Amino acid sequence: MSERRAMLATLARVVALRRTRLLFRPGGGRGLWTGRPQSVADNMKPLEGVKILDLTRVLAGPFATMNLGDLGAEVIKVERPGAGDDTRTWGPPFVGTESTYFLSVNRNKKSIAVNIKDPKGVRIIKELAAVCDVFVENYVPGKLSAMGLGYEDIDKIAPHIVYCSITGILTPHPCQYIDSLQESMKGGGWEMGETEKIWWFQLSVFSVFLTPTQDGDPVRPGVAMTDLATGLYAYGAIMAGLIQRYKTGKGLFIDCNLLSSQVACLTQVAANYLIGQKEAKRWGTAHGSIVPYQAFKTKDGYLVVGAGNNQQFATVCKILNLPELIDDSKYKTNHLRVQNRKELIKILSARFEKQTTSKWLYLFEGSGVAYGPINDMKNVFAEPQVLHNGLIMEMKHPTVGKISVPGPAVRYSKFKMSEARPPPLLGQHTMHILREVLGYNDKAIGELFSAGVVTQHEAE
């Protein structure tokens, strides 16, 4: 009973702290949600003053919270003592002892290392939830609820919370056969949760879109597009949740899952089936509804060309010195070009192979036709437009020095993104968060360290 009373007293203190710092309802407290500027500064970030409690790891969740951090939010990343986010060990490549995978999606965050299997660790998470605006997690459905950290538990102590759960299927998922599939995957890392366990299931279901040729074997994309899409869905949903809280004064639960994101991103391919019962085919780099719209082999590489209308097709024919194709009855419309795809692509391919990629780039420049080379990473980050858009973000990491990662994709006229802070070391900000965010005194912090409930990695 004494432990329970102590916990309730601590939560009461934390809630009181929150009431002095953050907004519960429209028009109250801070200017963040009133529509009025907080200051006359031109560079006020839209999420300044918003705290994100981030219990995610690997990719979808960290990608979402990183984007929130870029907009000014304070992101508190909760990690396991001694291990941290699994991607800290994913490599090579490493720079020093740091995984480049982890470094790519964890900028602008603070790390607190907490053992949430310990009741005292659970209490810390609840206290943090009480002073945060958003709670994001990607555990196996039911895992956090069993610890007392599910939405129903957090809602009782923090009714303002926007709680976002990122899973593989659904929360809770009804597909029992998925459990059997997951149980068969006992390799390293599968204990991390549905967002990782479901990968092979997704690959098998959607392999029609993951093959380089019409009859080739399924392949994995170079990056985990479903995780990234889910991260973007979660990022947008959290922003919507914050606006909804402004309107209603109440928090809410958000379910994001990889399966739904992947199906939603099928767009016209799904509509082709749902509306016209047209089953999808494997097109490799080509497009099922537009011809030509694909990669062509050149003398020394590849060039992607897309002609979305008759005028663009005529331009392509002129550049390739094939004017006879323009008025050919088999190719006069896109519908006809799709019907006669095989013959047309054979003619175009033969011509593209006669010149180098650089020559074709020169000839297509200013044509109004969509075109471009298939670049390696060196060429991508030497591209003038990539440099102009500020897509290389540099920062100084506390142990490995200067690093560069891909920067934010969106720019705004009235403010700049947050100045890049390097991805944190494991538990780098544990003491800061306990002391400054939760108001713990040195004695209480020392007891938590002695008990192994929390750990700290000192930056050099």
Side-chain angles (χ1 to χ4, degrees):
M1 287 295 293
S2 60
E3 177 72 18
R4 176 178 172 80
R5 282 195 297 270
M7 182 174 179
L8 290 173
T10 303
L11 285 174
R13 169 175 56 82
V14 171
V15 170
L17 262 176
R18 179 180 173 81
R19 283 175 177 156
T20 66
R21 297 179 180 177
L22 297 174
L23 177 70
F24 274 93
R25 60 186 183 278
R30 305 172 63 131
L32 181 62
W33 304 113
T34 65
R36 298 189 301 272
Q38 289 180 312
S39 78
V40 295
D42 292 333
N43 198 33
M44 178 63 64
K45 312 290 189 302
L47 293 186
E48 283 188 25
V50 173
K51 285 185 170 65
I52 312 292
L53 185 56
D54 180 6
L55 274 74
T56 68
R57 59 269 190 233
V58 184
L59 185 54
F63 188 60
T65 56
M66 180 183 71
N67 278 280
L68 294 167
D70 285 340
L71 293 178
E74 179 181 359
V75 180
I76 299 173
K77 183 178 179 70
V78 178
E79 300 190 74
R80 295 172 294 169
D85 190 314
D86 286 63
T87 61
R88 288 186 181 275
T89 65
W90 285 12
F94 293 94
V95 53
T97 59
E98 302 297 319
S99 159
T100 58
Y101 194 123
F102 177 84
L103 296 176
S104 72
V105 289
N106 284 287
R107 65 175 175 266
N108 291 334
K109 300 178 184 180
K110 297 175 181 178
S111 172
I112 178 172
V114 182
N115 178 12
I116 63 173
K117 293 182 179 179
D118 188 301
K120 293 179 181 178
V122 171
R123 184 171 67 188
I124 290 172
I125 301 303
K126 288 185 175 181
E127 292 171 4
L128 284 171
V131 296
C132 286
D133 299 274
V134 178
F135 187 115
V136 194
E137 61 89 11
N138 65 346
Y139 280 75
V140 175
K143 184 82 170 187
L144 287 185
S145 293
M147 297 179 178
L149 295 174
Y151 173 65
E152 296 79 5
D153 305 295
I154 300 301
D155 181 55
K156 292 175 183 177
I157 59 173
H160 64 277
I161 206 78
V162 175
Y163 190 114
C164 180
S165 181
I166 301 174
T167 60
I169 299 290
L170 187 64
T171 308
H173 68 78
C175 306
Q176 297 304 314
Y177 68 92
I178 297 299
D179 293 332
S180 299
L181 175 72
Q182 292 170 349
E183 286 301 314
S184 70
M185 300 174 178
K186 294 297 186 180
W190 293 117
E191 73 279 1
M192 288 310 301
E194 281 192 353
T195 51
E196 288 74 43
K197 290 179 183 179
I198 202 63
W199 185 81
W200 284 109
F201 168 71
Q202 292 173 328
L203 184 59
S204 66
V205 171
F206 297 102
S207 62
V208 69
F209 308 107
L210 303 177
T211 176
T213 63
Q214 292 185 4
D215 56 357
D217 294 331
V219 297
R220 184 185 181 279
V223 293
M225 293 306 300
T226 300
D227 290 75
L228 296 174
T230 304
L232 290 175
Y233 272 118
Y235 163 62
I238 288 167
M239 300 286 276
L242 290 170
I243 295 173
Q244 178 74 355
R245 189 183 74 180
Y246 160 68
K247 292 181 175 181
T248 66
K250 298 178 181 179
L252 75 164
F253 178 79
I254 298 170
D255 170 52
C256 286
N257 63 82
L258 275 69
L259 178 64
S260 295
S261 298
Q262 194 162 35
V263 173
C265 286
L266 296 181
T267 57
Q268 93 281 357
V269 176
N272 290 345
Y273 173 76
L274 294 173
I275 297 171
Q277 286 70 58
K278 183 178 180 181
E279 186 57 75
K281 295 182 179 179
R282 298 176 178 179
W283 293 111
T285 66
H287 195 291
S289 302
I290 306 172
V291 175
Y293 194 109
Q294 65 181 76
F296 292 94
K297 193 176 188 321
T298 67
K299 198 171 185 178
D300 62 349
Y302 289 89
L303 184 77
V304 178
V305 174
N309 56 46
N310 295 335
Q311 181 179 346
Q312 290 179 351
F313 175 67
T315 301
V316 170
C317 293
K318 291 174 183 177
I319 293 173
L320 270 59
N321 196 25
L322 294 170
E324 66 275 13
L325 298 181
I326 298 173
D327 295 320
D328 192 308
S329 60
K330 297 190 296 293
Y331 313 128
K332 285 185 70 65
T333 68
N334 180 70
H335 183 69
L336 290 168
R337 291 192 290 274
V338 171
Q339 286 184 334
N340 297 287
R341 174 195 302 268
K342 189 173 183 180
E343 180 183 351
L344 176 58
I345 295 304
K346 183 178 180 180
I347 296 170
L348 299 181
S349 296
R351 185 54 58 93
F352 273 112
E353 287 196 75
K354 293 184 180 297
Q355 297 288 353
T356 63
T357 300
S358 60
K359 179 66 173 180
W360 289 123
L361 291 173
Y362 172 77
L363 292 172
F364 273 92
E365 185 175 357
S367 65
V369 174
Y371 72 98
I374 295 180
N375 285 324
D376 57 18
M377 289 296 101
K378 180 179 180 180
N379 288 328
V380 167
F381 290 106
E383 169 62 43
Q385 196 63 46
V386 170
L387 298 174
H388 173 73
N389 288 357
L391 293 174
I392 300 176
M393 180 173 276
E394 296 181 348
M395 59 196 85
K396 187 176 180 181
H397 189 274
T399 62
V400 300
K402 180 180 174 182
I403 62 172
S404 298
V405 297
V410 180
R411 294 181 294 174
Y412 302 85
S413 65
K414 297 297 184 181
F415 70 91
K416 294 181 180 179
M417 291 293 195
S418 296
E419 184 176 348
R421 297 191 309 274
L425 303 173
L426 175 57
Q428 180 179 340
H429 305 94
T430 297
M431 290 187 67
H432 166 81
I433 293 168
L434 292 174
R435 182 180 290 124
E436 302 300 328
V437 178
L438 295 181
Y440 276 43
N441 60 37
D442 289 343
K443 179 182 178 182
I445 293 173
E447 290 174 351
L448 290 171
F449 275 99
S450 297
V453 178
V454 298
T455 60
Q456 169 100 3
H457 191 312
E458 298 292 344
E460 297 178 359

